[in-house]
Each structure stands twice: as structure tokens, then as C-alpha cells.
Amino acid sequence: MNKPFSFKQFTIKQDRCAMKIGTDGVLLGAWTSVTHNSYSILDIGAGTGIISLMLAQRSAAENIEAIELDGDAFEQCTENFENSPWRDRLFCFHAGFDEFVDEYTEEEPDEFELYNVIVSNPPFYTEEVTSGNNARDTARQNTSLPFNELIEGASKLLTKDGSFSTIIPFKEEKNFLNIAKTNGLFPSRITRVKGNPTSEIKRSLLEFTFSKTETFINELIIEKERHQYTDSYKELTKDFYLKM
């Protein structure tokens, strides 16, 4: 798992990151909406930098910024950015999200200083989990980035017509939607993810805006059977995986 992971247009080194390349990050990077108006993007809790790199490949955004608290992951994310074709559009801050938000909003930012797209693959274990690897445990537990802190911060940094996208466990969806609503964010898209046709829903991909609109809801199944990927998953990820 420590070997570099090669995609079609970039390579991710991950030997110094607690959280390795996984399906959640790839899903979010491929699913998040980007438009020709997506000038500025923020990736909260960047890890290896995979989501930022996928959005750099998918968009013409001139400014893609990432935040990473863990020192080793920050250094590796920066290295992955520097080794990519989009190094001049990517930058990683070594900071916690709370301090980043406080500093950014110390004086009320102008609209043009805010982000058109905010994305986060957040830590989501609410219970204490112990693997023996402190960095991995911190990266997995949402005590390091509680959902209410994530949503409140995102709402302060998002342009009035921007979008905030994330991926969380399906069991957390209702709670997350309620917190978002109290911060003026409403779901525009929800995709519920299943590993295979007979498994339970595992993840929710959520996209929010400040506008109350009808929510587009669908389902994504990753595999028909073991290592036999569905057409929908292949279509979503075909620009990235080497063997897709």
C-alpha cells in the first residue's frame, strides 16, 4: 500500500500519509461538480492531495488550494502537487481548518476572495478507534474535524452561488443534512453508494448550495460482482484509473 499509485495523468506518493488512496476519495474527486465558472477550489483535509489533483485535471480552475493538518501528509501532498502537470495551480496550507477559517474571516472577505467549490473527504468515525497508528486514528476520527465545524467553516468560505461537496457514511446523512440546513446550505445532489447490488448503502455523496432547489437523488453501485465494475462506476472514473 505504500507504493506510488499511478493514474492516467498523475501519480500519487502515499508512503508518508496515514490514509492511503481509497475509493471514497476517487469517488468524490470524480463526482464533484465543476463548471467553467469554477475559478477557485478549496480541498479540506487533503491527505495525499488526490481530490485536488483530480479537480485540477477536470477543471480550468486557476486557484486550487488544500488544507492538511498532519505534517507528513502536508509534505507529501505538496510533493504530489509539485510533481503534477498542474503544479502552478495547486497549493497546500499546513493548518487546521478552524485556524484557517478564523484567519480567512478575521476581516469579512469580499465575494471574489471566496471559493466557488469546496470539497472534503472528512474523517468520520464518531467512536474512538485505535489501530496503533496515531496519525491514522486522527485522520479517521471526526474529533479532528467535527461535521458541525466542517459545515460551518465551509459556509463561511463559499461564494453565494458556489457548491460544497463531501462523502460521508450513509448512516450520518440525516444528521449532516440537518447541520447543513442550520448553516444555510441545502442539498442539490445526493448519490448513495453501494458496493454491490445486494449490499447495504455504504456512503452518501452530498452536494450543497445556498439555494433551496429540488434535490437530485440517485444510487451508484460500484461492482456487479467482485472486481467486475458496473458501467456507471466505469463511466464516472474512466478518466483516472489506468485499467478502467
Side-chain angles (χ1 to χ4, degrees):
M1 283 296 291
N2 284 336
K3 293 191 299 183
F5 197 106
S6 294
F7 292 89
K8 285 183 177 177
Q9 295 191 37
F10 60 91
T11 297
I12 295 280
K13 290 183 179 179
Q14 54 183 346
D15 57 290
R16 299 181 64 189
C17 290
M19 297 303 292
K20 310 303 182 187
I21 300 294
T23 303
D24 286 4
V26 175
L27 278 171
L28 186 59
W31 182 86
T32 294
S33 294
V34 286
T35 69
H36 65 280
N37 293 322
S38 300
Y39 166 79
S40 187
I41 295 174
L42 178 66
D43 178 6
I44 303 164
T48 61
I50 180 175
I51 295 170
S52 294
L53 286 160
M54 292 177 73
L55 294 178
Q57 179 180 322
R58 291 183 54 217
S59 76
E62 293 183 26
N63 181 50
I64 302 174
E65 296 180 343
I67 306 167
E68 178 52 52
L69 177 61
D70 179 78
D72 286 338
F74 159 73
E75 290 180 6
Q76 189 133 70
C77 179
T78 299
E79 180 184 13
N80 288 330
F81 285 177
E82 287 297 318
N83 291 332
S84 79
W86 314 286
R87 63 183 66 85
D88 58 332
R89 298 160 52 201
L90 292 154
F91 182 81
C92 189
F93 294 98
H94 184 201
F97 186 50
D98 54 348
E99 61 177 304
F100 181 86
V101 173
D102 287 346
E103 188 171 320
Y104 210 92
T105 59
E106 192 172 7
E107 295 182 11
E108 187 170 349
D110 292 327
E111 180 76 4
F112 73 87
E113 296 177 292
L114 300 174
Y115 298 92
N116 309 113
V117 175
I118 297 177
V119 63
S120 181
N121 176 14
F124 51 72
Y125 283 94
T126 52
E127 64 274 9
E128 290 292 316
V129 289
T130 305
S131 67
N133 181 327
N134 289 337
R136 179 174 171 80
D137 292 343
T138 299
R140 297 174 77 195
Q141 291 173 17
N142 76 2
T143 51
S144 62
L145 182 57
F147 286 158
N148 61 327
E149 185 180 301
L150 170 63
I151 296 166
E152 183 182 352
S155 71
K156 292 177 179 178
L157 300 178
L158 191 64
T159 59
K160 62 180 184 295
D161 58 354
S163 64
F164 165 51
S165 298
T166 189
I167 184 167
I168 59 169
F170 172 65
K171 67 179 182 179
E172 301 283 354
E173 181 186 297
K174 185 176 180 181
N175 177 48
F176 202 97
L177 291 174
N178 286 334
I179 299 171
K181 186 177 180 180
T182 64
N183 285 275
L185 288 167
F186 304 95
S188 54
R189 283 198 301 153
I190 298 175
T191 295
R192 298 181 177 124
V193 183
K194 297 172 68 170
N196 60 65
T198 60
S199 65
E200 295 181 352
I201 297 171
K202 185 180 181 184
R203 296 282 187 267
S204 292
L205 285 155
L206 307 173
E207 185 171 87
F208 297 91
T209 68
F210 288 119
S211 301
K212 274 188 181 180
T213 58
E214 185 175 348
T215 308
F216 175 77
I217 301 174
N218 66 349
E219 188 174 271
L220 174 67
I221 299 170
I222 294 175
E223 294 179 320
K224 293 178 281 189
E225 52 187 80
R226 190 65 176 155
H227 300 310
Q228 297 293 315
Y229 296 103
T230 63
D231 290 343
S232 297
Y233 184 69
K234 287 192 284 189
E235 179 63 26
L236 184 65
T237 60
K238 66 182 180 181
D239 292 336
F240 301 100
Y241 284 128
L242 288 173
K243 297 179 181 179
M244 188 64 73

